[in-house]
Amino acid sequence: MPPRRRTSAERNHLVNFFFKPRPGVIGDCIPHYHDGRYHVFYLRDHRDRESYGLGSAWHHISTDDFVHFEDHGEALAQGRIDEQDHTVATGCVYTDEHGKHHIFYTGINPYLRTDTQHEQALLHAVSDDLVTWTKLPEEVWYADESIYERHDWRDPFVFKHPQTGRYTMILAARLNQGPFFRRGCTGLLTSDDLRHWTVQKPFYAPGRYHGHECPDWFQIGDWYYLVFSEYTTHTTTRYVMSRSPDGPWVAPADNQFDNRAFYAAKSASDGSRRFLFGWNPTKSGNVDQGEWEWGGCLTVHEIVQNQDGRLAVRMPPEATRAFDAAQNIDLTRLEPSWSQSDDGWRAEALYGYSTALSEKMPETYLLQGELRFDRPAGTAGLLLQVDEAGDTGYFLRFNLEGQRLEFGKVGGYRSWYVDHMPELDRPLPIRPGEALRFQIIVDKTAVVAYVNDQVALSARMYANPFGRCGLFADGTAAHVRGLRVQTPRK
């Protein structure tokens, strides 16, 4: 039986470019494509310990356009305080050749962190319809301590090996020896029936990270990809690639999909396109200077494979179609360096900083256009949620000399190390005379920028809601064409 389809009223209630449950936030996503829809299971944190207690359960939404969501409610409930799955943590959904649906998930219970018990274990549940699930408490798999640490054993992902035909389970684990902060690895189990699993030596152990969270594995063409999230050198989702399903795995120079504000991402495919589902964390106190928190809102990127096999991401076209027709933006120059022409806006700001600002913007919008450097120096970019004087707000900066896309606060963030927000930047090839096509979605405090259908940069903006957008140039000549704004369809 397929999941119940919600009424139009229920669907409309859940229109959201960056889905977030109410109350609470969305944590690690477990996407699964079935019967024409993307089913997104996720860890829900209600952010209300007094009412809901500690830990998380699995909840379930589905979509066919990443904008309208059907809420199927709770999928896997938390266990009792004395049970292994007091917290129901990350895993995967797998549909076997008989149409039976399986969830392999992590049971976490900090009260079981002892020398004889296990804080983390792998568990199993089954379903006939993806909505109602039955746990199989007799099926539990622990770390083999001759290879792995006892208490780091989580986030299983199951696939059928394309060469051996055996079921393969990869997971986040840690070796039981080696430099402490570099023991992170992608563990491995194998099975012939999805019920009996044998622990094997690691699937991938590069000796780089403390942990390889939320692993994912897939094939596109002649390439195989292993995806995981790490929190050692950066807090980010990475990938490695190989011509073989088992590796050896090569890490491209830029193997991130996004940045600090996109984590624990896993993918799903309809057989022709593949999408990456992660979360943009909130900040404590809902202020820019707050600490990054666990959980936030859903962000979906479409994965793009380049000719050399490297991966990139772009904005899903389905999300673009959820906006009304594009409208021109009128700008007011704060400095005379900017001038308007028939084909856009030009700046001759060779010896200083120059801006042009719009009127106040709505709460949710899509901003798009293209920027070109006419001189081989300086920086230029977009301003977001700035005040009328251009003194406070945010910038999305194209740094030509640094070959990077950078996000930061206007006049508000400085440190000894960087002049933009830490880890909110991305490598980006920038060449004078070549257009940089940008799409920027702003929805309340969340923002995601895409450039050239290759690079994504996510962030949070808490200051100046309904502020202005605009352009800036600093020490360069720049040309911006096709600057348009779109608001969501009613």
Side-chain angles (χ1 to χ4, degrees):
M1 178 185 299
R4 179 178 79 83
R5 294 293 171 89
R6 299 284 168 142
T7 66
S8 59
E10 290 173 308
R11 284 174 60 88
N12 289 337
H13 178 68
L14 292 175
V15 173
N16 201 322
F17 291 98
F18 304 118
F19 173 84
K20 186 170 80 70
R22 297 179 183 177
V25 294
I26 189 169
D28 300 357
C29 296
I30 302 96
H32 181 70
Y33 183 82
H34 182 72
D35 194 26
R37 293 182 69 78
Y38 288 90
H39 295 266
V40 185
F41 298 83
Y42 67 94
L43 310 189
R44 182 172 182 175
D45 185 346
H46 288 87
R47 295 272 175 93
D48 184 351
R49 294 186 179 182
E50 191 170 304
S51 300
Y52 296 95
L54 296 173
S56 60
W58 276 34
H59 282 248
H60 175 195
I61 56 176
S62 67
T63 181
D64 57 13
D65 63 3
F66 316 113
V67 175
H68 298 83
F69 295 91
E70 297 183 26
D71 190 348
H72 304 287
E74 186 177 74
L76 287 179
Q78 290 180 249
R80 299 188 310 269
I81 195 171
D82 60 341
E83 292 182 313
Q84 182 68 60
D85 61 351
H86 181 48
T87 284
V88 181
T90 308
C92 69
V93 179
Y94 182 84
T95 301
D96 66 25
E97 56 268 32
H98 306 294
K100 191 78 169 181
H101 306 296
H102 302 258
I103 282 178
F104 295 94
Y105 67 102
T106 311
I108 298 180
N109 190 331
Y111 301 107
L112 302 181
R113 192 179 181 90
T114 70
D115 291 337
T116 58
Q117 297 172 299
H118 298 77
E119 181 183 30
Q120 299 178 11
L122 309 181
L123 303 172
H124 189 192
V126 293
S127 172
D128 292 321
D129 62 3
L130 287 175
V131 175
T132 302
W133 293 87
T134 301
K135 294 180 181 180
L136 305 176
E138 70 279 8
E139 297 190 24
V140 55
W141 303 280
Y142 301 112
D144 179 342
E145 294 177 57
S146 68
I147 306 173
Y148 302 101
E149 288 185 0
R150 171 188 289 261
H151 299 296
D152 277 271
W153 193 246
R154 61 186 181 275
D155 307 347
F157 177 83
V158 171
F159 63 94
K160 199 165 190 178
H161 196 284
Q163 294 176 351
T164 69
R166 300 194 76 195
Y167 298 108
T168 302
M169 179 189 292
I170 56 176
L171 72 153
R174 281 172 51 81
L175 296 171
N176 62 4
Q177 58 185 346
F180 183 78
F181 290 106
R182 295 195 286 111
R183 293 183 186 179
C185 66
T186 303
L188 175 64
L189 296 86
T190 56
S191 172
D192 292 316
D193 60 4
L194 294 173
R195 307 295 292 268
H196 303 85
W197 291 89
T198 302
V199 178
Q200 310 284 2
K201 292 182 179 180
F203 191 67
Y204 177 56
R208 291 192 178 109
Y209 309 113
H210 185 278
H212 294 202
E213 295 194 305
C214 302
D216 184 20
W217 177 100
F218 55 85
Q219 179 182 3
I220 303 178
D222 296 330
W223 287 97
Y224 297 89
Y225 300 93
L226 174 64
V227 175
F228 61 94
S229 293
E230 62 96 358
Y231 46 84
T232 307
T233 57
H234 292 79
T235 301
T236 190
T237 298
R238 298 184 182 275
Y239 76 93
V240 289
M241 54 196 291
S242 176
R243 293 288 192 180
S244 163
D246 303 302
W249 300 101
V250 176
D254 175 20
N255 70 335
Q256 293 182 210
F257 290 104
D258 199 322
N259 61 15
R260 176 63 179 85
F262 182 76
Y263 192 70
K266 294 163 73 76
S267 72
S269 172
D270 64 359
S272 60
R273 302 165 67 199
R274 184 168 289 273
F275 296 88
L276 194 63
F277 300 74
W279 47 268
N280 182 340
T282 54
K283 287 192 166 186
S284 60
N286 294 323
V287 293
D288 291 322
Q289 63 269 29
E291 295 292 329
W292 292 109
E293 298 176 301
W294 186 92
C297 63
L298 173 67
T299 302
V300 182
H301 302 320
E302 182 172 2
I303 292 177
V304 176
Q305 185 188 53
N306 291 310
Q307 289 186 348
D308 61 0
R310 291 180 302 108
L311 298 181
V313 293
R314 68 170 185 168
M315 180 177 172
E318 291 86 344
T320 308
R321 293 194 288 269
F323 289 93
D324 277 331
Q327 304 291 326
N328 292 331
I329 300 178
D330 293 326
L331 301 179
T332 300
R333 296 178 296 166
L334 270 64
E335 288 85 21
S337 302
W338 284 98
S339 62
Q340 188 174 14
S341 61
D342 291 339
D343 63 347
W345 290 82
R346 294 178 181 273
E348 289 284 339
L350 304 182
Y351 307 106
Y353 182 92
S354 182
T355 60
L357 300 182
S358 72
E359 295 298 316
K360 289 185 176 181
M361 300 295 287
E363 185 177 49
T364 302
Y365 61 92
L366 169 63
L367 185 67
Q368 57 184 323
E370 62 180 47
L371 182 148
R372 185 188 72 209
F373 284 88
D374 293 333
R375 296 288 181 92
T379 65
L382 287 301
L383 298 171
L384 303 170
Q385 289 187 197
V386 295
D387 64 9
E388 61 182 1
D391 286 334
T392 63
Y394 306 86
F395 61 77
L396 184 71
R397 182 169 61 198
F398 296 96
N399 185 333
L400 189 149
E401 294 177 0
Q403 295 290 290
R404 301 191 72 79
L405 181 67
E406 301 164 338
F407 182 87
K409 293 196 72 173
V410 175
Y413 187 91
R414 291 290 186 272
S415 78
W416 289 107
Y417 307 105
V418 293
D419 65 350
H420 58 279
M421 291 183 174
E423 296 190 74
L424 296 191
D425 55 13
R426 297 286 289 115
L428 179 69
I430 305 173
R431 301 177 183 85
E434 294 186 7
L436 299 161
R437 293 177 290 105
F438 58 83
Q439 296 171 292
I440 305 168
I441 299 182
V442 174
D443 189 13
K444 305 176 183 65
T445 67
V447 57
V448 180
Y450 298 92
V451 180
N452 288 345
D453 287 340
Q454 289 283 297
V455 171
L457 185 153
S458 299
R460 285 280 172 185
M461 303 187 297
Y462 289 101
N464 301 338
F466 302 97
R468 293 161 166 78
C469 70
L471 306 173
F472 76 90
D474 187 2
T476 192
H479 184 193
V480 177
R481 300 177 58 187
L483 187 64
R484 303 283 192 274
V485 65
Q486 296 173 251
T487 54
R489 294 184 186 275
K490 302 297 184 181

